[in-house]
Protein backbone atom coordinates (compact mmCIF):
# COMPACT_ATOMS: atom_id res chain seq x y z
CA UNK A 1 0.00 0.00 0.00
CA UNK A 2 1.26 3.47 -0.93
CA UNK A 3 1.05 6.53 1.33
CA UNK A 4 -0.27 9.67 -0.36
CA UNK A 5 0.23 12.87 1.65
CA UNK A 6 -1.24 16.23 0.69
CA UNK A 7 0.98 19.30 1.16
CA UNK A 8 -0.07 22.84 0.30
CA UNK A 9 3.40 24.26 -0.37
CA UNK A 10 7.06 23.32 -0.87
CA UNK A 11 7.81 23.48 2.86
CA UNK A 12 5.16 20.88 3.61
CA UNK A 13 6.16 18.88 0.53
CA UNK A 14 9.73 18.59 1.90
CA UNK A 15 8.30 17.31 5.21
CA UNK A 16 6.18 14.74 3.38
CA UNK A 17 9.18 13.59 1.34
CA UNK A 18 11.45 13.36 4.40
CA UNK A 19 8.72 11.43 6.22
CA UNK A 20 8.62 8.83 3.45
CA UNK A 21 5.39 9.60 1.59
CA UNK A 22 5.18 7.75 -1.73
CA UNK A 23 2.89 10.18 -3.55
CA UNK A 24 2.99 13.93 -2.95
CA UNK A 25 -0.55 15.23 -3.52
CA UNK A 26 -0.63 18.99 -4.01
CA UNK A 27 -3.89 20.57 -2.97
CA UNK A 28 -5.44 23.71 -1.51
CA UNK A 29 -7.68 23.01 1.51
CA UNK A 30 -8.97 26.60 1.40
CA UNK A 31 -10.89 25.59 -1.73
CA UNK A 32 -12.27 22.28 -0.40
CA UNK A 33 -11.32 18.66 0.22
CA UNK A 34 -9.71 18.37 -3.21
CA UNK A 35 -9.18 22.09 -3.69
CA UNK A 36 -6.97 23.08 -6.60
CA UNK A 37 -3.61 24.66 -5.91
CA UNK A 38 -1.90 27.13 -8.24
CA UNK A 39 0.13 25.97 -11.26
CA UNK A 40 3.30 27.67 -9.98
CA UNK A 41 2.96 25.85 -6.63
CA UNK A 42 2.51 22.49 -8.38
CA UNK A 43 5.55 23.21 -10.56
CA UNK A 44 7.70 24.34 -7.62
CA UNK A 45 6.89 21.13 -5.74
CA UNK A 46 7.54 19.02 -8.83
CA UNK A 47 11.02 20.56 -8.99
CA UNK A 48 11.94 19.31 -5.51
CA UNK A 49 10.44 15.82 -5.67
CA UNK A 50 13.00 12.98 -5.88
CA UNK A 51 12.81 11.00 -9.11
CA UNK A 52 11.36 7.92 -7.37
CA UNK A 53 8.31 9.76 -6.06
CA UNK A 54 5.22 10.86 -7.93
CA UNK A 55 3.30 14.12 -7.79
CA UNK A 56 -0.47 14.18 -7.68
CA UNK A 57 -2.49 17.36 -8.15
CA UNK A 58 -6.16 17.90 -7.31
CA UNK A 59 -8.14 20.06 -9.71
CA UNK A 60 -10.92 20.84 -7.25
CA UNK A 61 -14.27 19.76 -5.87
CA UNK A 62 -15.56 20.45 -9.32
CA UNK A 63 -18.95 21.39 -10.74
CA UNK A 64 -20.64 19.49 -13.56
CA UNK A 65 -18.66 21.51 -16.11
CA UNK A 66 -16.64 19.20 -18.38
CA UNK A 67 -15.01 22.10 -20.24
CA UNK A 68 -13.83 23.81 -17.06
CA UNK A 69 -12.56 20.53 -15.68
CA UNK A 70 -10.71 19.79 -18.91
CA UNK A 71 -8.88 23.10 -18.78
CA UNK A 72 -8.04 22.48 -15.11
CA UNK A 73 -6.69 19.03 -15.96
CA UNK A 74 -4.55 20.52 -18.72
CA UNK A 75 -3.18 23.04 -16.23
CA UNK A 76 -2.32 20.31 -13.73
CA UNK A 77 -0.54 18.02 -16.17
CA UNK A 78 1.39 20.85 -17.82
CA UNK A 79 2.49 21.92 -14.34
CA UNK A 80 4.01 18.50 -13.79
CA UNK A 81 1.35 16.27 -12.24
CA UNK A 82 1.86 12.50 -12.58
CA UNK A 83 -1.63 11.91 -11.16
CA UNK A 84 -4.53 14.30 -11.71
CA UNK A 85 -7.38 13.99 -9.24
CA UNK A 86 -10.88 15.14 -10.18
CA UNK A 87 -13.28 15.66 -7.26
CA UNK A 88 -16.71 14.73 -8.68
CA UNK A 89 -18.45 17.03 -6.21
CA UNK A 90 -21.00 18.71 -8.49
CA UNK A 91 -21.94 15.67 -10.54
CA UNK A 92 -25.21 14.16 -9.37
CA UNK A 93 -25.23 10.83 -11.21
CA UNK A 94 -23.30 8.30 -13.27
CA UNK A 95 -23.97 10.04 -16.60
CA UNK A 96 -22.73 13.47 -15.47
CA UNK A 97 -19.67 12.02 -13.72
CA UNK A 98 -18.84 9.86 -16.74
CA UNK A 99 -19.02 12.88 -19.07
CA UNK A 100 -16.62 14.82 -16.83
CA UNK A 101 -14.19 11.90 -16.47
CA UNK A 102 -14.20 11.00 -20.18
CA UNK A 103 -13.21 14.56 -21.01
CA UNK A 104 -10.57 14.56 -18.30
CA UNK A 105 -9.03 11.42 -19.82
CA UNK A 106 -9.30 12.92 -23.31
CA UNK A 107 -7.48 16.02 -22.06
CA UNK A 108 -4.59 13.99 -20.69
CA UNK A 109 -4.31 12.20 -24.04
CA UNK A 110 -4.57 15.55 -25.90
CA UNK A 111 -1.72 16.93 -23.78
CA UNK A 112 0.41 13.87 -24.63
CA UNK A 113 0.99 13.44 -20.89
CA UNK A 114 1.50 10.05 -19.24
CA UNK A 115 -0.41 11.21 -16.17
CA UNK A 116 -2.72 8.83 -14.34
CA UNK A 117 -6.33 10.00 -14.04
CA UNK A 118 -8.10 9.66 -10.70
CA UNK A 119 -11.88 9.73 -10.39
CA UNK A 120 -12.57 10.89 -6.83
CA UNK A 121 -15.98 10.53 -5.22
CA UNK A 122 -17.10 11.20 -1.67
CA UNK A 123 -18.08 8.76 1.05
CA UNK A 124 -20.36 11.45 2.48
CA UNK A 125 -21.90 12.21 -0.95
CA UNK A 126 -25.39 12.36 0.52
CA UNK A 127 -24.34 15.41 2.55
CA UNK A 128 -23.49 17.33 -0.62
CA UNK A 129 -25.91 15.69 -3.05
CA UNK A 130 -23.07 14.24 -5.11
CA UNK A 131 -22.82 11.08 -7.21
CA UNK A 132 -23.17 7.74 -5.39
CA UNK A 133 -19.69 6.76 -4.12
CA UNK A 134 -20.24 3.13 -5.01
CA UNK A 135 -20.61 4.16 -8.67
CA UNK A 136 -17.06 5.58 -8.81
CA UNK A 137 -15.28 2.37 -9.91
CA UNK A 138 -17.76 1.92 -12.79
CA UNK A 139 -17.39 5.60 -13.76
CA UNK A 140 -13.60 5.42 -13.65
CA UNK A 141 -13.52 2.21 -15.67
CA UNK A 142 -16.01 3.41 -18.30
CA UNK A 143 -14.05 6.65 -18.69
CA UNK A 144 -10.80 4.70 -19.09
CA UNK A 145 -9.33 6.38 -16.01
CA UNK A 146 -6.70 4.72 -13.84
CA UNK A 147 -7.71 5.11 -10.20
CA UNK A 148 -11.01 5.05 -8.30
CA UNK A 149 -10.85 7.11 -5.11
CA UNK A 150 -13.05 8.10 -2.21
CA UNK A 151 -12.54 11.06 0.07
CA UNK A 152 -14.94 13.05 2.29
CA UNK A 153 -16.44 16.31 1.08
CA UNK A 154 -16.98 17.92 4.48
CA UNK A 155 -14.04 17.97 6.86
CA UNK A 156 -15.83 18.18 10.20
CA UNK A 157 -14.00 15.46 12.08
CA UNK A 158 -16.12 12.64 10.71
CA UNK A 159 -14.09 10.17 8.68
CA UNK A 160 -14.71 7.98 5.65
CA UNK A 161 -15.65 5.02 7.86
CA UNK A 162 -18.44 7.04 9.46
CA UNK A 163 -20.24 6.93 6.11
CA UNK A 164 -19.21 3.62 4.55
CA UNK A 165 -18.50 0.53 6.65
CA UNK A 166 -15.59 -1.81 6.00
CA UNK A 167 -17.73 -4.21 3.97
CA UNK A 168 -18.80 -1.38 1.66
CA UNK A 169 -15.22 -0.16 1.35
CA UNK A 170 -14.07 -3.73 0.62
CA UNK A 171 -16.71 -3.92 -2.13
CA UNK A 172 -15.43 -0.61 -3.51
CA UNK A 173 -11.87 -1.95 -3.56
CA UNK A 174 -12.91 -5.26 -5.13
CA UNK A 175 -15.00 -3.53 -7.80
CA UNK A 176 -12.08 -1.21 -8.59
CA UNK A 177 -9.70 -4.15 -8.94
CA UNK A 178 -12.21 -6.16 -11.01
CA UNK A 179 -12.13 -3.25 -13.47
CA UNK A 180 -8.32 -3.21 -13.51
CA UNK A 181 -8.17 0.04 -11.54
CA UNK A 182 -6.05 1.02 -8.57
CA UNK A 183 -8.03 2.09 -5.51
CA UNK A 184 -7.33 5.04 -3.22
CA UNK A 185 -9.16 5.83 0.01
CA UNK A 186 -9.03 9.01 2.08
CA UNK A 187 -11.23 11.13 4.28
CA UNK A 188 -9.98 12.32 7.67
CA UNK A 189 -8.32 8.95 8.17
CA UNK A 190 -6.22 8.38 11.27
CA UNK A 191 -3.26 6.07 11.82
CA UNK A 192 -5.55 3.45 13.37
CA UNK A 193 -7.45 3.17 10.08
CA UNK A 194 -4.41 2.37 7.93
CA UNK A 195 -4.21 -1.35 8.82
CA UNK A 196 -7.94 -1.80 8.22
CA UNK A 197 -7.61 -0.38 4.71
CA UNK A 198 -4.56 -2.52 4.00
CA UNK A 199 -6.53 -5.60 5.02
CA UNK A 200 -9.26 -4.89 2.45
CA UNK A 201 -6.68 -4.44 -0.31
CA UNK A 202 -6.61 -0.67 -0.68
CA UNK A 203 -3.69 0.36 -2.92
CA UNK A 204 -3.25 4.00 -1.83
CA UNK A 205 -4.21 5.66 1.45
CA UNK A 206 -4.56 9.46 1.24
CA UNK A 207 -3.92 11.60 4.30
CA UNK A 208 -3.50 15.25 5.21
CA UNK A 209 -4.96 15.89 8.66
CA UNK A 210 -3.26 12.98 10.40
CA UNK A 211 0.07 14.01 8.84
CA UNK A 212 -0.22 17.49 10.34
CA UNK A 213 1.03 18.61 13.73
CA UNK A 214 -2.09 18.71 15.92
CA UNK A 215 -4.06 16.68 13.39
CA UNK A 216 -5.78 19.72 11.91
CA UNK A 217 -5.64 19.86 8.10
CA UNK A 218 -6.37 23.59 8.06
CA UNK A 219 -4.66 25.04 11.14
CA UNK A 220 -1.84 22.46 11.31
CA UNK A 221 1.06 21.80 8.98
CA UNK A 222 2.58 18.58 7.69
CA UNK A 223 5.54 17.31 9.73
CA UNK A 224 7.95 14.52 8.84
CA UNK A 225 7.44 12.83 12.24
CA UNK A 226 3.73 12.35 11.67
CA UNK A 227 4.34 11.18 8.09
CA UNK A 228 7.03 8.67 9.08
CA UNK A 229 4.76 7.27 11.81
CA UNK A 230 2.16 6.54 9.13
CA UNK A 231 4.79 5.15 6.77
CA UNK A 232 6.20 2.85 9.45
CA UNK A 233 2.74 1.37 10.02
CA UNK A 234 2.59 0.51 6.31
CA UNK A 235 6.14 -0.87 6.31
CA UNK A 236 5.04 -3.23 9.07
CA UNK A 237 2.51 -5.06 6.89
O1 LIG B 1 -5.92 12.67 0.01
C1 LIG B 1 -6.19 13.74 0.51
C2 LIG B 1 -7.35 13.86 1.39
O2 LIG B 1 -8.05 15.02 1.14
C3 LIG B 1 -6.95 13.66 2.79
O3 LIG B 1 -7.16 14.76 3.60
P1 LIG B 1 -7.62 14.52 5.13
O4 LIG B 1 -6.78 13.36 5.68
O5 LIG B 1 -7.31 15.81 5.83
O6 LIG B 1 -9.09 14.19 5.07
Amino acid sequence: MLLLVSPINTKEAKEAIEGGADIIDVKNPKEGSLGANFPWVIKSIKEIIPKDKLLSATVGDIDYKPGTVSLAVLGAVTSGADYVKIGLYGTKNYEQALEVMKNAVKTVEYSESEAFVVAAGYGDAKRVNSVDPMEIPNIAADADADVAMLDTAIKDGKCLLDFLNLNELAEFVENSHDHGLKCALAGSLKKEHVKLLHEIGCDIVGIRGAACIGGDRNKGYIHRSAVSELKNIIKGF
Side-chain angles (χ1 to χ4, degrees):
M1 184 160 80
L2 298 177
L3 175 62
L4 176 150
V5 173
S6 306
I8 61 175
N9 54 38
T10 48
K11 184 172 185 293
E12 286 197 346
K14 285 174 186 161
E15 290 297 312
I17 293 164
E18 289 304 319
D22 301 293
I23 301 172
I24 308 300
D25 177 56
V26 185
K27 67 173 47 156
N28 175 8
K30 287 182 187 155
E31 296 191 12
S33 301
L34 289 96
N37 212 316
F38 298 95
W40 46 88
V41 174
I42 297 169
K43 188 168 183 294
S44 64
I45 293 175
K46 179 70 176 180
E47 286 164 357
I48 62 165
I49 281 188
K51 294 286 169 263
D52 66 329
K53 296 194 188 288
L54 294 174
L55 182 143
S56 160
T58 52
V59 297
D61 297 323
I62 54 96
D63 290 336
Y64 169 42
K65 293 182 177 175
T68 303
V69 176
S70 298
L71 276 179
V73 166
L74 185 61
V77 295
T78 49
S79 303
D82 303 299
Y83 286 87
V84 58
K85 278 166 72 175
I86 296 96
L88 294 165
Y89 186 95
T91 57
K92 307 296 180 209
N93 53 49
Y94 168 90
E95 289 75 18
Q96 291 181 354
L98 180 63
E99 185 182 356
V100 166
M101 289 310 304
K102 275 187 168 179
N103 282 288
V105 170
K106 186 175 175 180
T107 301
V108 170
E109 289 162 359
Y110 165 81
S111 70
E112 295 176 351
S113 158
E114 297 293 313
F116 298 105
V117 181
V118 182
Y122 303 90
D124 58 341
K126 285 196 176 113
R127 299 205 289 184
V128 293
N129 193 24
S130 178
V131 60
D132 178 355
M134 300 308 282
E135 283 275 29
I136 298 299
N138 300 333
I139 293 159
D142 295 348
D144 203 20
D146 304 284
V147 184
M149 180 166 195
L150 289 181
D151 200 327
T152 48
I154 298 173
K155 303 293 182 180
D156 59 356
K158 288 190 168 65
C159 84
L160 181 64
L161 287 99
D162 291 317
F163 302 98
L164 294 171
N165 62 41
L166 268 181
N167 287 337
E168 289 166 318
L169 292 175
E171 182 187 337
F172 184 93
V173 173
E174 186 179 2
N175 193 10
S176 300
H177 290 168
D178 288 349
H179 284 302
L181 301 164
K182 292 291 184 191
C183 174
L185 296 174
S188 300
L189 298 172
K190 305 285 181 286
K191 57 186 177 188
E192 55 267 25
H193 299 130
V194 175
K195 186 169 186 295
L196 296 173
L197 299 188
H198 169 70
E199 286 168 350
I200 62 172
C202 176
D203 302 295
I204 301 167
V205 59
I207 292 177
R208 178 174 169 76
C212 287
I213 294 292
D216 186 321
R217 75 181 335 245
N218 295 312
K219 297 192 185 81
Y221 56 90
I222 288 175
H223 195 274
R224 64 189 70 184
S225 58
V227 178
S228 57
E229 189 175 3
L230 293 161
K231 183 67 182 175
N232 288 337
I233 292 169
I234 294 172
K235 282 180 182 171
F237 297 150

